[in-house]
Amino acid sequence: MNRVVIITGASSGIGAATARALAEGYRLALVGRSKERLGEVVQQVVAAGGQAHGIVADLSDAGVPIRVVDQVVERFGGIDAVVNNAGIFETGAIGSVTPDHLDRLWRTNVQAPVLLTQAALPHLRGRRGGCIVNISSHAARAAFSGNGIYAATKAALEAWSRCLREELRGTNVRVGVVSPGATDTPCWGERRPDPARMCRA
């Protein structure tokens, strides 16, 4: 296929698993904050016969998404799909929520995918069939104590995805949302639930 796909949050978890799944037949631009882990995923893709370029970046900085898109276009000549997977999972009861907590989750879980998609759209429109996939969470529609802010950001991502789908109706760009349940990824840290009840990234 040789199509170009940007995958954010690609250094671990769902993003890394997506990169490995697309290793054959796609040219991958893998974005993540950890240089070491991102390099390992790039090597895994190359070892599987694919093409991958790692971009170390923190997408929560408002100026970064457009620079990432420019770098991908310069490297690969265009963009066919964007997988907005990068996200922060943090819990906290209402009494412990701070402005920094709110800002951190909003900028990574909502602002970053919106701005990256905005920057990529002109290139997606110019391809034979562009695709945007936003990785949400079951938490967007479920209630878990202490999970209010994270759940709210994922609900916002899904609401924006629905509106974006309407804006792009009739164009060659499709919008999809994937909402996994609890998944065995490093984001859990010490809070990791029973692995037998988790999806595997």
Side-chain angles (χ1 to χ4, degrees), residues 68-141:
V68 167
V69 166
D70 288 345
Q71 187 172 337
V72 174
V73 172
E74 181 178 356
R75 175 86 179 199
F76 292 122
I79 301 168
D80 294 284
V82 176
V83 179
N84 285 307
N85 168 72
I88 293 177
F89 174 67
E90 293 181 5
T91 59
I94 186 60
S96 65
V97 171
T98 65
D100 284 344
H101 177 92
L102 284 163
D103 183 62
R104 190 163 51 249
L105 267 67
W106 177 265
R107 288 198 301 144
T108 300
N109 296 357
V110 183
Q111 176 179 293
V114 169
L115 294 181
L116 184 66
T117 299
Q118 181 187 59
L121 261 177
H123 306 284
L124 294 170
R125 289 178 187 270
R127 308 297 266 195
R128 56 187 178 276
C131 185
I132 300 159
V133 179
N134 295 324
I135 307 300
S136 180
S137 168
H138 177 63
R141 295 171 304 285

Side-chain angles (χ1 to χ4, degrees), residues 39-59:
E40 291 173 358
V41 179
V42 168
Q43 290 177 0
Q44 290 168 2
V45 170
V46 172
Q51 298 182 55
H53 174 59
I55 302 173
V56 179
D58 184 351
L59 291 166

